[in-house]
Amino acid sequence: MTTTFPASTPSALGIDARGVTALLDALESTPDVEPHSIVLLRHGQVAAEGWWQPYTAERVHLLYSLSKSFTAAGVGIAVRAGLIDLDATVLSYFPELDADVTDERSRRISVRHLLAMASGHREETLDRAEALDPTDTVRGFLLLPPDEEPGTVFAYNQPCTYTLAAIVRRVTGGSLVDWLRPHLLDPLGIDDLAWRLDDTGAELGFSGCYAPTSAVAKLGQLYLQGGVWDGERILDEDWVAQATSTQVANPDEGNPDWSQGYGFQFWMARHGYRGDGAYGQFCVVLPEQDVVLALTGQSLDMQAVLDAVWQHLLPAVDGSSDAAADRALEARLASLGLPALVGGSLRGTADVGPLARDGDAWRLTVDVDGGTLSVPVGQGEWTVEGPLAASGAADQDGTLRVDVRFVETPHLLHVRVDPATGAVTTAWQTQPLHDGPLTLRRPAD
């Protein structure tokens, strides 16, 4: 089943299209910000949407920590079904660990504490948990005594969410995605969602979810509607209220939109609340304005993205507009694209190292991670093949440059080839957090 939002115009939804255009300008011009997609909803209708080529509407995008909000929805659905008790201890779901976990604070960590990133640890525990037990992250986490009483301090802590996913698997008898599919994905018409698994075959929970931008918008709209979709209650109203309000204070976080409090795998913000993930994956919900904004990208400065939203989009809501501004925005959205490499033509260049002629075109073939990465290279454009897009050019000194985009993720790889020796150097624009070049793509079902 496919559920799509009705398409409208900014003016019809009470949004000044010039503010949306100004937001696009800011996203494209701000240092350390690179947009890949935008979906803007108001009153449950599409006010604006667009994808910067070579990213496209139908493709999934790695959401990194925005995955946490999908995991939390799975927990909320299980709470509604009576399978999970928010105030039950984590240990009660893993009785086989009872004898191992002796610290009293660890034994008092509840599901509620996990949801609020309030396990009592003062800092991230993932590396330490995995070092304590390389095969059972939940056990390693519970063997780390909290620094404070659970529920009293905030620390962004991946094993909290990993353990939530493990609890869902434990109480439902299947995978997290198996649980989400009939209870969340199918009702919302989310046709494509996949999750990176760890070495034990379990979803990471805290990261690794691949979904299209429309799925992000739908999750935000579900919460904006109080957990109801097409007349069907999916999440309890009380769950939504708790998830989207401060459950633990976090005033020590550095950026203003990260220090407004934390709910259930949602950040409170200066305006509304949001789920977010590394390098600029956002699900922003503005209840007062009845707005949902979904964004993907490759942005190192995530605060700058939100600053642009508050500066340009927020004042445009309930602002004046006109049909000409709507049409100008529509044309702009239809022509979005990330610039291809600029430089000398590859034509006339002999095969060199990993870069070889492929008919009238070129192909880059690089051995990485014990496998082979191969992609056609466009000149002055992005050539797309599968989950890869590439663009190439020659420098004045003859150095051959190829940029490879992994278009189901935020990531871009810069490849440089010495024309004399064929030697290759590579550098990431943004460092992948849990994958290499051969696995930066939608996981197989």
Side-chain angles (χ1 to χ4, degrees):
M1 180 180 70
T2 300
T3 302
T4 56
F5 296 110
S8 187
T9 64
S11 293
L13 297 172
I15 297 174
D16 186 342
R18 291 165 292 194
V20 183
T21 299
L23 173 60
L24 300 180
D25 290 340
L27 294 176
E28 291 183 340
S29 63
T30 301
D32 291 328
V33 171
E34 179 186 278
H36 293 169
S37 70
I38 179 171
V39 174
L40 174 64
L41 307 178
R42 193 175 198 207
H43 310 322
Q45 300 179 60
V46 177
E49 61 181 357
W51 284 259
W52 279 261
Q53 298 294 325
Y55 293 85
T56 57
E58 68 276 4
R59 282 196 183 273
V60 296
H61 200 281
L62 173 58
L63 301 181
Y64 278 121
S65 282
L66 181 49
S67 308
K68 291 178 172 69
S69 300
F70 282 89
T71 299
V75 175
I77 294 165
V79 169
R80 176 169 169 78
L83 299 175
I84 294 177
D85 179 353
L86 289 179
D87 295 310
T89 66
V90 173
L91 195 56
S92 69
Y93 293 96
F94 304 95
E96 72 277 12
L97 302 180
D98 187 75
D100 295 343
V101 181
T102 57
D103 181 82
E104 286 303 315
R105 283 176 174 165
S106 292
R107 296 179 67 87
R108 286 196 290 272
I109 299 173
S110 69
V111 176
R112 183 184 300 276
H113 297 145
L114 298 183
L115 285 160
M117 293 290 186
S119 62
H121 300 91
R122 291 198 200 100
E123 57 189 19
E124 174 67 63
T125 64
L126 182 60
D127 289 345
R128 289 179 289 157
E130 291 180 340
L132 279 172
D133 193 328
T135 63
D136 187 342
T137 302
V138 172
R139 181 175 179 273
F141 169 58
L142 292 175
L143 288 176
L144 278 172
D147 306 291
E148 308 289 347
E149 185 63 25
T152 63
V153 295
F154 170 84
Y156 200 63
N157 193 359
Q158 313 304 333
C160 285
T161 320
Y162 183 93
T163 302
L164 290 170
I167 291 172
V168 171
R169 289 190 292 270
R170 182 64 63 98
V171 301
T172 64
S175 73
L176 175 59
V177 173
D178 287 342
W179 175 247
L180 290 175
R181 186 163 288 117
H183 298 100
L184 179 74
L185 308 183
D186 289 347
L188 270 59
I190 298 173
D191 297 326
D192 194 6
L193 181 144
W195 218 298
R196 174 71 62 219
L197 307 180
D198 66 10
D199 291 339
T200 71
E203 295 100 343
L204 296 178
F206 59 82
S207 186
C209 181
Y210 285 70
T213 316
S214 60
V216 175
K218 288 173 179 180
L219 183 70
Q221 189 67 29
L222 173 66
Y223 274 87
L224 182 61
Q225 294 170 179
V228 174
W229 191 271
D230 284 346
E232 175 189 355
R233 178 158 293 284
I234 293 173
L235 295 166
D236 285 332
E237 189 174 8
D238 181 59
W239 165 273
V240 173
Q242 293 181 78
T244 61
S245 60
T246 298
Q247 300 300 309
V248 62
N250 58 353
D252 296 331
E253 295 295 303
N255 290 316
D257 279 299
W258 276 260
S259 59
Q260 306 295 317
Y262 197 79
F264 287 168
Q265 310 290 288
F266 279 106
W267 297 88
M268 303 306 103
R270 287 178 290 172
H271 306 279
Y273 56 89
R274 72 183 189 282
D276 67 38
Y279 305 126
Q281 324 318 313
F282 286 104
C283 178
V284 179
V285 182
L286 303 174
E288 291 184 15
Q289 291 79 18
D290 200 21
V291 162
V292 172
L293 176 66
L295 298 166
T296 64
Q298 180 182 221
S299 300
L300 288 168
D301 191 345
M302 291 174 61
Q303 182 61 64
V305 176
L306 292 175
D307 289 345
V309 174
W310 309 148
Q311 180 181 352
H312 301 293
L313 177 62
L314 202 59
V317 179
D318 293 326
S320 61
S321 190
D322 57 58
D326 287 345
R327 289 193 297 272
L329 174 60
E330 184 179 13
R332 173 74 176 278
L333 290 166
S335 63
L336 296 175
L338 299 173
L341 274 181
V342 175
S345 173
L346 298 177
R347 294 182 180 87
T349 303
D351 293 0
V352 54
L355 194 61
R357 282 169 293 192
D358 184 13
D360 294 331
W362 291 85
R363 178 170 288 271
L364 177 74
T365 304
V366 184
D367 291 330
V368 291
D369 291 351
T372 301
L373 187 73
S374 180
V375 59
V377 178
Q379 297 180 77
E381 62 180 4
W382 296 101
T383 299
V384 180
E385 182 175 277
L388 302 173
S391 174
D395 286 342
Q396 287 186 340
D397 64 3
T399 300
L400 304 176
R401 296 181 293 131
V402 179
D403 278 357
V404 181
R405 290 191 176 276
F406 298 77
V407 292
E408 295 173 339
T409 80
H411 299 295
L412 167 65
L413 182 67
H414 302 293
V415 180
R416 301 296 177 263
V417 182
D418 185 319
T421 66
V424 176
T425 58
T426 61
W428 289 104
Q429 179 72 21
T430 51
Q431 188 67 39
L433 301 183
H434 49 63
D435 281 294
L438 295 182
T439 55
L440 278 172
R441 61 187 64 193
R442 181 196 186 282
D445 290 325

